[in-house]
Amino acid sequence: MFFSRYLHRYHPVRTSLYRSPQLSRLRIASGFCPPRLAPYTTTLPNEHARLCKAGLDSVKDQQHIIQSDSQRRTIYALASPLGKAGVAVIRVSGPDALLVWQQVVRPAGFGSKHSSPKPWKMYRCSILHPSTHELLDEGLAVYFKGPRSFTSEDTVELHIHSGRAVVSSCLAALSSLPYCRLAEPGEFTRRAFLSGKLDLTQVEGLKDLINSETESQRKLALQATTGVFRTWLENLRKEIIACLGHIEALIDFGEEDIEANTHRIAKERAQAIIREIQNHLSSFKRGEIMRTGLKVAIFGPPNVGKSSLFNYLAQREAAIVSNVPGTTRDVLEISIDIGGIPVIIIDTAGIRDTDDQVEKLGIQRAIDRLEGSDMLLCMLAAENFHAHAGFPPDMNLPPTLKSRFSASNVLFLINKCDLLTPQNLEALSGALRHYQKRAWIVSLSTGDGLDLFIRQLGEIITTRYRTDDKLSEPLLHNERHRVHLQQALEFLQAFIVTPDSDIILGAEELRYAAQAIGRISGRIDTEDILDVIFRDFCIGK
C-alpha cells in the first residue's frame, strides 16, 4: 500500500497496472515491483528505487516462477498397486497432460518429439526423463482427450514395467515438471464427480468395487457404479417433487382454481413413497453384511478346539493351538468366502472363571465381540457331555450369553466326538434334535462330520443373507444412504399428519424430503462430506 501511494503520486496512469491480477504473481516473485514499471522507478525516492532494482534483478535470475499446488492443475499418480508385476499404470490428468506426453513420451516411429498423439490409441514408446532425456523404460502410452476421459480432462496413461525402481524413476521424472504435482487420495475420482461424470452413489460404488472380495460384493458395487441406485433415487425424488407441485399449486392458486381432491392425491402419492422407502430400509442389514462381511464369532470354554476350527477354516496355522487352557488371549479374525458372501470368522478366548488378570482381559474382549457379532458359533467338547444333563451343559458362561442360546443366530458345534462311546454319541445326537440344523457333532482330529458342517453352515448363511443374483432392485448397504433415507421418511410422515389447512408447512416437509434424497446422490449440499468419501481412495484413483 505504501508503494502504491508513491506510484499513484508520480505515475497515476500506471497505478491500475500495478494492481492488475495478471501482474500479481510476477510482483510477488520479484520482491517488489513488476518489470513493466521499471522505466518509471527512477523518479521514486532512492530507497524505493533500490528495492525495485533488487526485485528486477531477482526476476532476471529466475528462469520460471514456482507454482503453488493450487496452480498446478495437472496431477499424476500410480494407478495400479505397488509391487512386482507385469505392468504398472501411471495416470496423468489435467490441462497440461498433452505437454507431459511431449516431454516424456517418445512413440516409436514418430518423426518429431513434439508431435501430438491420436486420442484413444495405444502407442509403443520409450519413457524419457524430461530434463536429462535418459531412457527410463519402454512400454505403452495412451492419450485420452477430454471430455472423453475418466476425469473429463486430458489424460495420459503410461503402461510401464512394474518394478519398484522403474516406477520410482518415472514418478520422479514427472515430479520434475513444474506444472505437475502428485495427486491426493481419490483426486482423480473427485474430478470425475466435479465434472459430472459420476454422482456420489457411483463414487462410493466405485470404491466398493475396488475393495470387493466376493462375487456378491462385486454385484452389489456394480449396482451403484452402473447407475441402478442413482436411477431409483432420481425417480424417488421426482415423485416427491410431483407431490410438492400439487401442494404448491394449492398455495399459489387457491382451492377455488384447483381440483378439490388435489391435497388427497398428494398424500396418497406420499404414502406410496413412504412404503417404498420403508421396504428398502428393511433390507439395510442384509446389504450392509454383503458389503462389510458377516461376523461369525466362535466362543466356548477353553480347550474345546476353537483355535483348531479357526485354523481349519483359514486353511493355515493362523492361531496357536495348545492343550494348556487359556492359550488364546486376544481376538483373531480371518475373512473367507462362503457362497459368495464375505464372512469374518472371529476366534475368541475361552470363557471361564480365572484369577489371571491377562486372561480376564481376553475373556472380556471375547464377550464384547460376541455382542457385536451377527452370528455366534458355540463350541463345546463332547467329552464334557453327560446323558443325564440337559443341553447345553453348564459351562460357567455369563447369564447374558446363556440367554441367547435360543436365538436362531446361535449355532452349536460339538467337537471331539471320537472320544465318546457309541451309547453316549447316540444320547448326544438325541439331545440335539431340538437344535436341528443348528448343531453338529464333529471331530477336528479325525475330520468326521466337518464336510456336513461346512455345507450346512454355507446353506444357512446364503439362505439368510444372499440376494437375487440379478439384483434388479437396488439394495441399501451404505450407512450414509440409510441416514438420508430415514430423514426423508420422517419428513414425508410429517407431511402426512400435517393438517390440510396448514399447506405451507406441508410443502416445507416435502421440500426437505426431496433435499434429503438429493444429498445421497450429491445433487445438493454435499461439500461437507466430499472429503470423507474421497479420502479412503488410493492415490491413483
Side-chain angles (χ1 to χ4, degrees):
M1 181 61 71
F2 185 67
F3 173 64
S4 179
R5 287 199 298 269
Y6 270 106
L7 184 65
H8 181 70
R9 177 180 177 184
Y10 291 97
H11 304 287
V13 176
R14 293 289 178 170
T15 305
S16 60
L17 289 177
Y18 173 77
R19 291 174 176 171
S20 66
Q22 291 82 1
L23 297 178
S24 61
R25 283 172 48 206
L26 190 57
R27 185 175 67 251
I28 294 171
S30 65
F32 202 80
C33 62
R36 292 180 63 180
L37 301 182
Y40 299 91
T41 57
T42 55
T43 61
L44 299 176
N46 292 337
E47 180 64 18
H48 288 283
R50 185 185 65 80
L51 291 174
C52 283
K53 184 177 183 302
L56 291 174
D57 291 339
S58 67
V59 171
K60 293 177 182 178
D61 295 337
Q62 187 175 0
Q63 294 182 355
H64 63 272
I65 299 173
I66 299 177
Q67 297 179 338
S68 65
D69 283 350
S70 61
Q71 292 170 322
R72 289 184 288 178
R73 291 290 301 156
T74 301
I75 56 175
Y76 68 90
L78 180 66
S80 55
L82 183 63
K84 294 181 180 179
V87 177
V89 179
I90 295 178
R91 177 180 288 168
V92 182
S93 179
D96 298 315
L98 190 57
L99 186 57
V100 172
W101 175 289
Q102 295 170 348
Q103 292 285 321
V104 175
V105 179
R106 294 293 179 272
F110 262 42
S112 172
K113 68 176 183 179
H114 295 298
S115 299
S116 297
K118 292 182 179 180
W120 313 291
K121 179 181 178 181
M122 190 75 77
Y123 290 88
R124 183 177 179 273
C125 63
S126 299
I127 310 297
L128 306 179
H129 193 284
S131 301
T132 64
H133 305 294
E134 175 191 359
L135 177 65
L136 303 178
D137 193 19
E138 291 187 345
L140 300 172
V142 59
Y143 166 61
F144 299 93
K145 183 176 177 59
R148 293 175 57 189
S149 68
F150 176 70
T151 60
S152 289
E153 302 173 323
D154 286 352
T155 302
V156 170
E157 285 187 0
L158 306 178
H159 296 238
I160 59 177
H161 295 96
S162 188
R164 186 178 295 272
V166 175
V167 172
S168 297
S169 63
C170 291
L171 292 175
L174 292 174
S175 69
S176 68
L177 297 172
Y179 45 82
C180 287
R181 64 172 174 84
L182 186 65
E184 298 176 358
E187 189 168 2
F188 290 97
T189 306
R190 184 169 189 149
R191 291 188 176 191
F193 167 75
L194 294 176
S195 67
K197 280 293 184 73
L198 304 173
D199 69 358
L200 282 184
T201 62
Q202 291 175 300
V203 168
E204 291 166 321
L206 181 60
K207 183 178 69 174
D208 291 340
L209 186 62
I210 293 172
N211 296 328
S212 62
E213 297 180 351
T214 67
E215 186 68 7
S216 61
Q217 288 178 323
R218 179 188 67 83
K219 292 179 179 179
L220 192 64
L222 282 175
Q223 204 181 49
T225 57
T226 56
V228 173
F229 190 53
R230 178 188 61 183
T231 301
W232 178 75
L233 288 173
E234 190 60 29
N235 291 336
L236 202 64
R237 187 169 177 271
K238 287 179 180 178
E239 284 293 318
I240 297 175
I241 292 175
C243 294
L244 179 60
H246 288 292
I247 303 303
E248 292 285 358
L250 286 172
I251 296 173
D252 293 339
F253 302 106
E255 295 182 359
E256 64 277 3
D257 298 324
I258 303 297
E259 294 182 9
N261 60 351
T262 299
H263 205 161
R264 179 179 58 81
I265 293 175
K267 287 196 172 184
E268 288 176 354
R269 297 183 71 169
Q271 288 282 14
I273 298 171
I274 288 174
R275 288 192 294 270
E276 186 171 2
I277 293 178
Q278 288 175 334
N279 182 49
H280 282 80
L281 286 174
S282 65
S283 68
F284 173 71
K285 184 61 179 178
R286 189 158 50 101
E288 185 185 36
I289 285 175
M290 287 183 62
R291 178 174 177 259
T292 61
L294 177 72
K295 299 179 180 65
V296 179
I298 306 172
F299 77 101
N303 277 9
V304 295
K306 298 185 301 297
S307 296
S308 296
L309 176 64
F310 186 77
N311 291 341
Y312 176 80
L313 295 174
Q315 297 183 353
R316 59 186 175 89
E317 294 297 320
I320 298 175
V321 177
S322 170
N323 291 328
V324 179
T327 300
T328 302
R329 300 292 180 93
D330 211 345
V331 176
L332 302 178
E333 292 184 2
I334 58 168
S335 182
I336 61 177
D337 183 346
I338 297 181
I341 297 175
V343 178
I344 301 172
I345 305 295
I346 304 171
D347 184 23
T348 62
I351 299 174
R352 64 168 181 172
D353 293 330
T354 178
D355 295 328
D356 191 317
Q357 295 301 317
V358 177
E359 189 177 355
K360 281 185 176 180
L361 291 176
I363 293 173
Q364 186 57 50
R365 287 189 180 185
I367 294 174
D368 293 341
R369 292 306 298 270
L370 294 179
E371 295 296 331
S373 297
D374 304 303
M375 187 175 289
L376 303 180
L377 180 60
C378 179
M379 198 162 181
L380 307 170
E383 58 185 348
N384 296 330
F385 174 79
H386 301 285
H388 62 276
F391 182 85
D394 185 11
M395 301 176 297
N396 295 324
L397 292 176
T400 54
L401 291 180
K402 289 182 181 179
S403 64
R404 298 184 62 180
F405 280 170
S406 59
S408 60
N409 68 330
V410 179
L411 311 177
F412 297 93
L413 188 66
I414 314 302
N415 187 29
K416 303 183 181 181
C417 66
D418 54 306
L419 302 180
L420 292 182
T421 63
Q423 293 80 7
N424 285 339
L425 183 59
E426 184 178 355
L428 177 60
S429 300
L432 296 180
R433 288 173 186 169
H434 177 68
Y435 298 88
Q436 189 175 11
K437 293 188 177 180
R438 285 181 51 207
W440 298 269
I441 301 174
V442 300
S443 172
L444 286 165
S445 299
T446 63
D448 292 343
L450 285 176
D451 291 339
L452 177 64
F453 162 67
I454 296 297
R455 186 177 73 252
Q456 292 188 348
L457 176 64
E459 291 174 356
I460 292 174
I461 292 174
T462 54
T463 300
R464 293 183 184 180
Y465 301 105
R466 190 171 185 176
T467 60
D468 183 11
D469 289 338
K470 296 180 180 179
L471 285 177
S472 56
E473 291 292 328
L475 182 64
L476 189 64
H477 61 275
N478 187 295
E479 176 64 19
R480 187 181 71 85
H481 303 168
R482 187 198 66 80
V483 169
H484 288 309
L485 278 176
Q486 185 65 41
Q487 290 176 348
L489 178 65
E490 292 171 0
F491 288 129
L492 288 169
Q493 290 172 336
F495 165 71
I496 295 297
V497 299
T498 301
D500 293 354
S501 58
D502 201 352
I503 57 175
I504 295 179
L505 180 59
E508 283 300 303
E509 300 292 358
L510 289 175
R511 189 174 290 108
Y512 290 147
Q515 289 176 353
I517 298 297
R519 290 190 185 98
I520 298 177
S521 58
R523 290 180 62 94
I524 54 174
D525 195 20
T526 60
E527 186 62 32
D528 55 338
I529 62 173
L530 289 182
D531 289 336
V532 177
I533 292 176
F534 290 105
R535 71 186 179 190
D536 292 332
F537 275 85
C538 59
I539 300 296
K541 197 62 181 174

